[in-house]
Structures are given as structure tokens and as C-alpha cells.
Amino acid sequence: PYDNEQKRKELLDKFNTIEGIKLTENSLNKRPSFDCKILKSEANYTRFIEIYQEILSEIQRYEAEK
């Protein structure tokens, strides 16, 4: 599902809700990264896991529809 640029933009926006992560639209077609120290904060870690779970759910739905 993330071969669609709009889906990648939505994902980028979600990651940018985590304090300390500032991914740019230039990174949409790349493999952006961030300092893992950002996840030391419980709030940041929790939000990261929520986003990761959303990604997994989206992929599972996509695969089920194939």
C-alpha cells in the first residue's frame, strides 16, 4: 500500500507528530531515519508503536485484498 505517494505522505505526517522527528517531503521516496534516542521518551515510544501497528494493519488489509 505504501507504493502510493499519498499513503507515504500520510505516514510521514504521522511520524512527524513524534517530538524530535522532522522528516521532510524530500524523504518520501527515500529511506528516512531518525535518532533512536528520541524513543527514550515514553510518549514518543508509545506513539511510534501506535504508528508501527497501524502500518502492520494496513499491510495486512492490503495483502488480504490481493
Side-chain angles (χ1 to χ4, degrees):
Y2 295 101
D3 56 345
N4 176 299
E5 188 168 335
Q6 181 59 36
K7 289 294 253 181
R8 290 194 307 273
K9 171 73 169 89
E10 291 171 10
L11 188 57
L12 179 134
D13 291 341
K14 287 179 185 181
F15 278 115
N16 281 338
T17 65
I18 298 173
E19 186 178 336
I21 295 181
K22 301 290 182 253
L23 304 175
T24 66
E25 287 192 32
N26 292 338
S27 65
L28 282 176
N29 295 314
K30 299 178 183 176
R31 296 183 187 268
S33 62
F34 60 89
D35 189 342
C36 288
K37 291 178 188 174
I38 290 170
L39 300 180
K40 281 186 169 183
S41 157
E42 185 175 343
N44 288 350
Y45 177 78
T46 299
R47 181 65 183 134
F48 178 83
I49 294 300
E50 288 171 354
I51 295 168
Y52 190 73
Q53 288 173 334
E54 289 176 26
I55 292 168
L56 293 177
S57 293
E58 182 75 22
I59 291 170
Q60 288 172 338
R61 279 191 300 276
Y62 178 80
E63 290 297 320
E65 293 174 2
K66 283 172 102 177

